[in-house]
């Protein structure tokens, strides 16, 4: 008596869900967007909507908020705290915090100004020494945190006090040093290759569009060659078109005033570079891995201590650059530089822009989006003559709202199986 052998069918190969979305066309993207919203994966949507709402409210109240000169000033003022926020993004990706960055910004500006003005040192060399001092400070913080085991909160809180004291000591009894007239630091707050030359603004916008489109095409080609899902040409064209509209409208508005601000160029350049480091290098993947789970990262062979120390060095270096831009805009380095709400605004910018306080999720573009929100609120409140006490309370409420949104988003993602 013969029996027929039981036949089993081979399991169907897994299909990348992004392929299904792209095959469905526009309806697929709409459905995917709804799914992400329901699961708490909000991305940059709240920030973009917030910027639109802020612009509409203050324009209706003042009639001047969307004027070219005001928007140009906003793009200049975001550079200092925005660069500090870029450093904070790196630290937050580890699930940690650095409370010393305002003081690091202040002491770095003080060192550069005192060496160049009072000691007569070459200004470029003075700047390099100041940035080097900031990197050493970051390494010290990282050492105590990663090697000794002192919580980052405690280490950087001690640093906040210590480096504020060093800042006052370096500046001396007068407490302030004016930057060199028409020097390197003073010229950080100028316009790219000349005041009022609109050609450079258009060239910068077009270059950005071309580089973005080329990057999208290269990424799609690379993924296709590796047998992975790749964006279709229609999606690449749509993304590039959106960036083109934003870039060209921004260029037009800036050219209605005095052209392309140098602080904006440098800030955008650093955001692009740091974004590449985080998303396209093994070092960046190690940062995300450590932020996602220390023990798992250690078992994967990652040098957790080095990653932590290096991240605190990067954050301190970004703070030094931010301090130099703040000194340039106010024309001096003084004992109050980096104090007040500078640190809080920078932390708020990183969180509002979409970087999680709990580690493992965020982009350096978060710093750009978040600081635009913060600076737009500050500028708008100044235009309607709201006193600083109310400004602090409103900024605090916005920060709390961003943290609550982050917490709710994480909880929703976990409940939907995506956390």
């Amino acid at each position: 008596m013969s029996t027929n052998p039981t036949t089993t069918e081979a399991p169907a190969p897994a299909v990348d869900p992004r392929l299904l979305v792209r095959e469905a066309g526009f309806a697929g993207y709409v459905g995917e967007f709804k799914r992400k919203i329901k699961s708490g994966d909000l991305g940059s949507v709240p920030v973009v909507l917030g910027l639109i709402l802020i612009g509409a409210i203050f324009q209706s109240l003042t009639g001047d908020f969307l004027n070219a000169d005001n928007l140009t000033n906003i793009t200049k003022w975001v550079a200092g705290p925005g660069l500090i926020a870029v450093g904070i993004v790196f630290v937050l990706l580890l699930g940690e915090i650095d409370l010393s960055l305002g003081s690091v910004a202040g002491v770095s500006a003080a060192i550069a100004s005192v060496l160049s003005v009072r000691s007569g040192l070459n200004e470029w060399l003075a700047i390099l020494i100041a940035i080097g001092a900031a990197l050493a400070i970051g390494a010290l913080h990282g050492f105590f945190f990663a090697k000794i085991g002192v919580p980052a909160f405690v280490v950087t809180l001690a640093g906040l006090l210590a480096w504020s004291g060093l800042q006052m000591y370096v500046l001396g009894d007068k407490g302030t040093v004016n930057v060199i007239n028409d020097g390197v630091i003073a010229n950080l707050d100028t316009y790219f290759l000349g005041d009022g030359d609109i050609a450079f603004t258009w060239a910068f916008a077009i270059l950005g569009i071309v580089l973005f489109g080329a990057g999208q095409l290269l990424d799609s080609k690379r993924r296709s060659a590796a047998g992975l899902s790749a964006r279709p040409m229609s999606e690449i064209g749509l993304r590039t078109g959106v960036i083109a509209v934003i870039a060209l409208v921004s260029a037009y508005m800036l050219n209605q005033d005095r052209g392309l601000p140098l602080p904006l160029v440098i800030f955008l350049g650093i955001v692009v570079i740091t974004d590449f480091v985080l998303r396209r290098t093994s070092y960046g993947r190690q940062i995300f891995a450590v932020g996602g789970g220390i023990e798992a990262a250690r078992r994967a062979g990652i040098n957790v201590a080095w990653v932590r120390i290096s991240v605190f060095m990067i954050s301190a270096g970004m703070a030094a650059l931010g301090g130099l831009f703040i000194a340039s805009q106010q024309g001096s380095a003084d004992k109050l530089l980096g104090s007040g709400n500078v640190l809080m605004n920078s932390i708020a910018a990183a969180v509002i822009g979409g970087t999680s306080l709990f580690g493992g999720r965020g982009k350096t573009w978060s710093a750009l989006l978040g600081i635009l929100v913060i600076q737009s609120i500050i500028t708008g409140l100044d235009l309607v003559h709201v006193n600083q006490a109310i400004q602090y309370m409103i900024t605090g409420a916005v920060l709390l709202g961003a943290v609550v949104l982050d917490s709710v988003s994480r909880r929703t993602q976990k409940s939907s199986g995506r956390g």
Side-chain angles (χ1 to χ4, degrees):
M1 183 176 180
S2 63
T3 58
N4 293 327
T6 303
T7 58
T8 58
E9 295 183 0
V15 179
D16 191 331
R18 288 174 293 186
L19 285 175
L20 300 177
V21 171
R22 288 162 183 164
E23 288 174 359
F26 181 74
Y29 286 105
V30 172
E32 177 69 1
F33 177 75
K34 290 180 179 178
R35 185 193 65 77
K36 285 185 175 182
I37 295 298
K38 288 180 181 178
S39 66
D41 189 4
L42 301 176
S44 300
V45 173
V47 188
V48 174
L49 293 178
L51 278 171
I52 294 172
L53 183 62
I54 290 167
I57 290 174
F58 285 121
Q59 179 64 20
S60 66
L61 290 175
T62 65
D64 298 326
F65 184 81
L66 296 179
N67 285 1
D69 59 340
N70 188 58
L71 294 179
T72 298
N73 286 333
I74 289 175
T75 62
K76 292 173 67 176
W77 294 332
V78 298
L83 288 168
I84 299 174
V86 170
I88 288 172
V89 168
F90 275 80
V91 178
L92 289 179
L93 287 174
L94 296 182
E96 302 297 339
I97 192 66
D98 192 335
L99 300 177
S100 70
L101 296 184
S103 298
V104 174
V107 75
S108 300
I111 291 172
S113 299
V114 167
L115 287 178
S116 59
V117 175
R118 292 181 182 170
S119 301
L121 196 66
N122 176 273
E123 197 170 7
W124 280 109
L125 182 56
I127 290 171
L128 290 176
I129 291 174
I131 294 174
L135 294 175
I137 288 171
L140 184 64
H141 292 166
F143 172 80
F144 279 107
F145 169 55
K147 293 291 190 180
I148 307 300
V150 183
F153 178 88
V154 177
V155 172
T156 58
L157 180 60
L160 184 153
L161 299 173
W163 311 128
S164 291
L166 180 60
Q167 178 182 354
M168 294 179 187
Y169 178 81
V170 169
L171 290 170
D173 295 335
K174 292 184 179 180
T176 184
V177 176
N178 293 328
V179 299
I180 298 175
N181 225 4
D182 203 32
V184 177
I185 297 176
N187 283 327
L188 289 175
D189 191 38
T190 54
Y191 290 83
F192 186 64
L193 298 180
D195 185 342
D197 195 329
I198 66 173
F200 293 115
T201 312
W202 290 117
F204 189 74
I206 294 170
L207 178 63
I209 297 167
V210 170
L211 290 177
F212 178 83
Q216 293 284 299
L217 288 171
L218 288 174
D219 183 63
S220 178
K221 184 177 179 180
R222 178 180 58 83
R223 293 181 66 85
S224 296
L228 302 173
S229 64
R231 292 191 177 98
M233 288 300 298
S234 58
E235 183 181 346
I236 293 174
L238 178 62
R239 285 170 170 260
T240 306
V242 171
I243 293 298
V245 170
I246 295 173
L248 295 175
V249 169
S250 300
Y252 173 80
M253 292 301 297
L254 292 172
N255 281 339
Q256 299 307 300
D257 188 42
R258 287 160 289 177
L260 186 61
L262 181 60
L264 178 63
V265 175
I266 296 175
F267 183 28
L268 283 175
I270 289 176
V271 168
V272 169
I273 292 170
T274 51
D275 178 67
F276 178 84
V277 169
L278 285 176
R279 294 195 303 115
R280 301 292 185 184
T281 67
S282 60
Y283 173 70
R285 289 189 287 273
Q286 288 175 10
I287 293 175
F288 280 104
V290 173
I294 296 171
E295 191 56 38
R298 187 175 286 115
R299 290 181 179 180
I302 295 174
N303 188 337
V304 173
W306 161 244
V307 170
R308 286 174 155 181
I309 292 171
S310 63
V311 162
F312 277 91
M313 291 175 67
I314 290 171
S315 69
M318 290 294 109
L321 291 175
L324 294 174
F325 274 96
I326 296 172
S328 175
Q329 288 162 358
Q330 66 183 31
S332 65
D334 58 38
K335 61 183 180 181
L336 296 179
L337 195 155
S339 62
N341 61 348
V342 171
L343 176 63
M344 290 300 104
N345 284 347
S346 300
I347 295 174
V351 176
I352 290 170
T355 300
S356 176
L357 279 171
F358 305 99
R361 180 165 61 86
K363 302 176 182 178
T364 52
W365 289 101
S366 303
L368 173 62
L369 292 172
I371 200 61
L372 282 173
V373 170
I374 293 292
Q375 190 59 57
S376 296
I377 292 173
I378 293 172
T379 303
L381 293 175
D382 282 339
L383 289 175
V384 295
H385 307 295
V386 174
N387 67 50
Q388 196 171 50
I390 303 298
Q391 291 187 27
Y392 279 21
M393 288 188 278
I394 292 175
T395 304
V398 172
L399 173 58
L400 177 61
V403 175
V404 170
L405 189 63
D406 180 38
S407 300
V408 172
S409 173
R410 286 175 59 87
R411 188 178 303 171
T412 304
Q413 290 184 46
K414 285 183 178 179
S415 65
S416 63
R418 302 183 69 247

